[in-house]
Structures are given as C-alpha cells and as structure tokens.
Amino acid sequence: MPELPEVETVRRGLQPVMEGARIIRVEQRRADLRFPFPADFARRLEGRQIVSLGRRAKYLIADLDNGMVMVSHLGMSGSFRIEADSEGSLQPGVFHHARSKDGKHDHVVFHVEGPAGRARVIYNDPRRFGYMDLMARADLADHPWFRDLGIEPTGNSLNAGVLAERLAGKTAPLKAALLDQRIIAGLGNIYVCEAMWRAKLSPGKPAGRLVRKSGKPTEALERLTGCIRTVIEEAIAAGGSSLRDHIRTDGTLGYFQHGFSVYDREGKACPGPGCGDTVRRMVQSGRSTFHCPTCQTK
DNA sequence: CTCACATCCTGGATGC
DNA sequence: TGCATCCAGGATGTGA
C-alpha cells in the first residue's frame, strides 16, 4: 500500500492512541515478516512507554522511554488498525484492509494504555513484505535502512539543488531515479508517476539530463521539485490514497486517488488541458509507469 | 560503479 | 464453477 502520504496518514492516526501510552502486552504471532523479528521483540516492548511516534521516509519510528526505538515498515500490504479494548471511544483514522477484520494475517497485536484509554493496535500484512525491528535511537542514523536514505520530499529539506547533486551523471531513467530511496526517500510508484506528469517530464529521460554541466538544476528539475512537493502535500492533506480495500477505521477514505491524473488510468483521457490523448501504461524496471506521451515530452 | 531483473508473499481481477 | 494467468502501493540481492 503505502508511500509517504499513506505512512504519514497512518502515523497521524496512531499518534493519539500510542503517544504517551504504555505498552501493556505484545502478541507476536509469527517469527518473521519479511525478516525475522529481533530476539525477545515482545518482551522488550512490554512495560515501555511510547514517548513519540515519528516517521522518516516510509518508516514509522516509535521512540520508547528507554532510548530504544521500534521501527516499522509496511511493505506493500501492511496496515494498522485500532480496536478499543473496553468502552473506549477510539476512532482514529488509520489505514487498514477492510478484510483484515477477519483476523487472518494479523501478525502483531500491541495492547496499549494511554491518555486515550486502552486499545489494541493491530498490524495486518497479507503479503508479509513489511518488517519491524528494535534498535537504540542513537544507532538509528547509521542503520543500513536509514544510513543511505535521500532527502524527504516534504517541508524545507526538499530543494532542487540537493536533487541535482544526487542526479548528476545518472543514466537511469528518471522514473527509476525517483523511485530510488537513496536519492529521494518516500516516493513510490504512484507519486512518481503523478509528479512526472505534473512536471511534463518523460519517464524515460536519463535522470542526469535534469542537471546542468555546472551541477546546477535545470529549469525542468526546478519544476519537478515543486511538483513533487505539492503532490505529496496534497496527498497528505487528503489522507493519502485509498486503493483496493484500504480504508480507515472511522469508515472514511483517504481520497487522493480521486486526484490521480495518470496512475491506474490506462486508456482514460489525459487530464491535461486541451491534450486529448489517452494515458498509457508501460513497464520500466519491472514496474508500471502511467504517463501521457503527448504531455510528457520534456 | 550502474542498471535491469527476479524474488519474497497473498489475493483480487480477468480470461477461458 | 474451476483453473490459469497477470497484476499489485516495496526493497533487496543477483548478475551482466
């Protein structure tokens, strides 16, 4: 499921239940997801208080009161849902699978007690591409998952100059470069397609051509940077994209999928003003790229 | 080094 | 109805 806007939506949904809460009990129902859980995963979490719930790229990071952090990545199909443990009125918006209520593929259950009451925070992941780990907060930045991450496509950290440094000399197609988390961290297939369309850039263009010989960003890269920023901002504001069966526990949907211009719109009219062409699907490094060959020529 | 590709896994949609 | 095939929001390890 989740790219940065969906993970951020999950974080905001979990925050009121988890931040400041104590982890009473953890049910870990299998030994591994994509990777094995760390030794004594459940036991090391039990009794700890969650100081804050953060995010870096597509990772959720729960800071604990003993200097450790629990890191979690949702992979392709991971989701969290919240269930009130007693009479609590917990209704935050957290992405999950509609069908995940049957309990199949519920791999971890966190029983928490905090300002918002008692709750179960349940991790469900049919494909098990997600993963979790525990590490010292001090070791986070040097951990292989984080060490090489590129810039966040949100806020002030994103700017064309930094992207230019990272794209210089790259012969890989722009599409592949934007999916590379070492260059920019948090974009996935949806938002890469959308950003390229907004910037009118061809997905196959060698990424290094967005950088001048001087190392400065081209006008196209400046434009792309702005498009990345706004598409991510808009998607977060919309509560992410609800594709397939992903819904939120309060019954509302993230609605950014209605804002897609090209993603999953093969054969439909390109929404470019006066364009008249249709959206095409092609495969780049094994993954679908949705684009408009008329609009995206630069 | 850089890239393209297969791979991990389940399940939904589609076609015969 | 069954069965086969393709596809899916990610990231990693391989081999060229």
Side-chain angles (χ1 to χ4, degrees):
Chain A
M1 163 193 72
E3 304 181 29
L4 188 152
E6 290 74 41
V7 177
E8 178 59 21
T9 299
V10 169
R11 191 193 69 78
R12 293 178 185 187
L14 293 177
Q15 198 168 28
V17 180
M18 295 190 81
E19 243 178 46
R22 196 162 295 278
I23 302 171
I24 306 298
R25 192 159 62 87
V26 176
E27 297 172 53
Q28 180 198 324
R29 296 180 175 167
R30 50 178 302 130
D32 59 74
L33 294 170
R34 176 168 186 181
F35 306 120
F37 283 92
D40 297 319
F41 178 72
R43 185 186 59 74
R44 289 159 69 195
L45 286 170
E46 286 167 357
R48 300 268 61 86
Q49 190 175 21
I50 300 163
V51 176
S52 66
L53 186 64
R55 179 193 58 74
R56 167 75 168 112
K58 301 172 193 170
Y59 292 91
L60 287 168
I61 302 170
D63 270 277
L64 308 178
D65 60 356
N66 62 349
M68 301 292 286
V69 289
M70 183 183 77
V71 175
S72 127
H73 193 294
L74 303 177
M76 290 277 264
S77 60
S79 62
F80 281 102
R81 73 178 192 276
I82 296 169
E83 294 176 357
D85 228 7
S86 49
E87 72 285 353
S89 56
L90 296 160
Q91 291 268 308
V94 175
F95 274 82
H96 68 91
H97 281 95
R99 274 181 308 285
S100 72
K101 284 198 181 85
D102 61 14
K104 199 177 170 188
H105 306 304
D106 286 351
H107 303 308
V108 188
V109 181
F110 302 91
H111 297 256
V112 299
E113 178 165 25
R118 273 177 174 267
R120 294 185 295 272
V121 176
I122 300 165
Y123 181 73
N124 181 281
D125 190 352
R127 293 174 74 180
R128 303 202 301 274
F129 285 175
Y131 42 98
M132 298 183 191
D133 204 354
L134 279 171
M135 63 191 76
R137 161 51 79 170
D139 295 337
L140 189 76
D142 291 326
H143 190 281
W145 294 343
F146 294 91
R147 192 180 48 209
D148 300 321
L149 281 182
I151 53 175
E152 281 281 315
T154 54
N156 299 325
S157 41
L158 179 65
N159 71 81
V162 177
L163 271 184
E165 281 173 31
R166 304 235 176 192
L167 293 176
K170 289 240 173 288
T171 58
L174 178 61
K175 166 79 185 303
L178 294 177
L179 281 176
D180 185 340
Q181 303 297 298
R182 295 169 301 184
I183 294 170
I184 181 167
L187 302 183
N189 211 26
I190 293 175
Y191 298 106
V192 165
C193 291
E194 293 297 315
M196 290 187 300
W197 181 84
R198 289 183 180 209
K200 302 197 179 309
L201 291 174
S202 169
K205 183 187 180 88
R209 286 218 241 129
L210 294 180
V211 183
R212 298 181 203 274
K213 284 203 181 108
S214 66
K216 301 282 187 200
T218 60
E219 212 159 296
L221 182 52
E222 300 276 9
R223 197 169 65 242
L224 176 63
T225 304
C227 292
I228 290 170
R229 186 195 310 279
T230 54
V231 76
I232 293 295
E233 271 175 14
E234 289 172 25
I236 291 174
S241 306
S242 297
L243 288 192
R244 300 179 177 81
D245 50 0
H246 275 94
I247 64 172
R248 294 193 282 177
T249 44
D250 59 2
T252 65
L253 296 167
Y255 53 86
F256 192 73
Q257 67 278 12
H258 302 303
F260 291 171
S261 298
V262 287
Y263 184 81
D264 206 18
R265 291 179 52 84
E266 183 181 16
K268 301 204 168 113
C270 167
C275 170
D277 203 348
T278 56
V279 174
R280 315 299 169 87
R281 173 184 174 271
M282 66 176 174
V283 176
Q284 290 180 288
S285 42
R287 309 194 59 191
S288 290
T289 300
F290 297 92
H291 68 118
C292 171
T294 298
C295 290
Q296 295 174 249
T297 54
K298 298 183 177 168

